[in-house]
Amino acid sequence: MNSKLELATLVLSPFGQDEEVYVYRGYVLSCSYIFYVDENTLLLRHVQKVEGVEHIYIDGHSGGIILAENVTGNTQEIIKSIVNRLSGMDGLSFLTDILLWTPERIDMNLKIDQ
């Protein structure tokens, strides 16, 4: 998959702490999802574009997912590799090959039947 990643800025306010704001540089995919690194941890988060301001996004309607820890090297290349790998999988392969075998994963309800 040849996905266009846009360099962007994420402005994030932790839940319930409106007086604190964190700013991250990352790469937006499909104008809705940002990949960013915080303390060598690669995260994916849903975001919303700030109207009238170029390349600025705020937290969306969901939490984030940790994709990788101890990330070093070219972040954009790592993200492209992950996007290409996941784009080549079907949903069942993702569930059985990645999600089910994720270390330290807890039982979760994906609510797929809804």
Side-chain angles (χ1 to χ4, degrees):
M1 176 181 186
N2 187 8
S3 301
K4 184 176 182 212
L5 296 170
E6 169 196 348
L7 184 61
T9 300
L10 169 63
V11 179
L12 185 61
S13 177
F15 183 72
Q17 299 177 20
D18 294 333
E19 61 279 349
E20 285 189 52
V21 174
Y22 298 96
V23 178
Y24 300 96
R25 296 288 282 169
Y27 293 91
V28 171
L29 176 68
S30 302
C31 295
S32 296
Y33 307 98
I34 192 165
F35 297 86
Y36 65 101
V37 175
D38 181 18
E39 297 182 6
N40 295 336
T41 300
L42 179 63
L43 297 108
L44 172 64
R45 180 171 220 94
H46 177 257
V47 291
Q48 297 176 0
K49 183 155 182 32
V50 173
E51 294 296 322
V53 183
E54 290 292 316
H55 311 292
I56 304 288
Y57 292 80
I58 58 173
D59 196 18
H61 297 293
S62 69
I65 298 173
I66 295 173
L67 298 178
E69 295 179 312
N70 302 315
V71 174
T72 59
N74 184 324
T75 303
Q76 185 178 22
E77 290 303 316
I78 293 168
I79 293 167
K80 283 181 182 180
S81 174
I82 290 170
V83 169
N84 287 335
R85 178 176 175 211
L86 293 176
S87 295
M89 295 182 126
D90 61 40
L92 188 57
S93 293
F94 172 76
L95 287 174
T96 58
D97 296 346
I98 294 181
L99 193 57
L100 188 61
W101 292 103
T102 299
E104 301 173 12
R105 178 193 57 81
I106 60 169
D107 290 342
M108 62 183 94
N109 184 352
L110 298 177
K111 300 181 182 181
I112 294 174
D113 60 335
Q114 297 182 1

